[in-house]
Amino acid sequence: MTSAPSSRAFDVRHVQLARAAFAAIAAVMITFSPDHSAIVGLSVFSGFAIATGLVHLLAAWLVYPAGLRWPSLLLGIVSLVAGMAGGVTPVRTVAGFFVVVIVWAGISGIIEGVAGVRALRGDRSAVVSSGVAPWTDGTPASVMPRSDARDAAVIGGLGVVLAVALLFIQPGYALAYAVEDVQETLTGIIIAVGVFGGYAAIVAVYLGIAGFSPRTPVASAEQAVAETKDHA
């Protein structure tokens, strides 16, 4: 699901596995926490967002070539800002959780999704114009490999779905119910924190599979040009 080998010590595989690990930690913390309040939800989100932001910023420096750094830089900045905002005590309210997570999910999802979709639409034309398939000459071209672009589009789409799902949850919702004569209340924030935990679990599984997937050889320039002509 990911790119062909490169000469760099770190590659997309390491980025995906690091992101999967932090997402898995967030999902486990929410799943096994009996408290799904805004304070707990934002505490988990803050740590997840800051760690993910640092991964993106390091990836921009250590993994991606110059032409591919802008998504990681933007994602890193957005995640760090959201994570730090979630760590501010006055923000750790029900409204604060919804605002911070929705804004982060929407912006980061759009950034990563647009980067992936643009790469999926433009990679073949880049091969035709240059006559060289990306990554095959030992020097990464300023075009994202198709498998990486697909992964970026999927993860970006999941971020947008998270934002939309949270928009449909009423922060003031409350449903009283009884379990074995014990009165409980299902609130909007409990649902919202659970939705974020589900998102984190899906991201962890997807990126974990992507990170451990074997790398497939990149097609030669001639094959890429031929495929482009066949699809024309």
Side-chain angles (χ1 to χ4, degrees), residues 11-117:
D11 57 22
V12 178
R13 177 197 299 270
H14 301 102
V15 178
Q16 291 173 328
L17 292 178
R19 292 180 65 184
F22 290 124
I25 292 172
V28 169
M29 291 178 68
I30 289 176
T31 300
F32 292 98
S33 173
D35 184 358
H36 281 189
S37 65
I39 294 176
V40 172
L42 275 176
S43 296
V44 175
F45 170 79
S46 180
F48 161 78
I50 290 174
T52 301
L54 291 175
V55 169
H56 283 304
L57 293 179
L58 289 174
W61 178 260
L62 298 174
V63 175
Y64 296 106
L68 295 179
R69 286 176 182 160
W70 68 267
S72 278
L73 288 173
L74 291 179
L75 289 170
I77 294 171
V78 170
S79 295
L80 280 178
V81 171
M84 289 187 290
V88 178
T89 302
V91 177
R92 292 188 170 183
T93 62
V94 172
F97 178 89
F98 278 89
V99 171
V100 171
V101 179
I102 288 174
V103 171
W104 169 81
I107 295 177
S108 63
I110 290 173
I111 291 172
E112 192 161 13
V114 167
V117 171

Side-chain angles (χ1 to χ4, degrees), residues 155-176:
I155 298 300
L158 288 174
V160 174
V161 169
L162 171 62
V164 173
L166 292 178
L167 283 173
F168 279 94
I169 299 175
Q170 294 294 327
Y173 174 81
L175 174 65

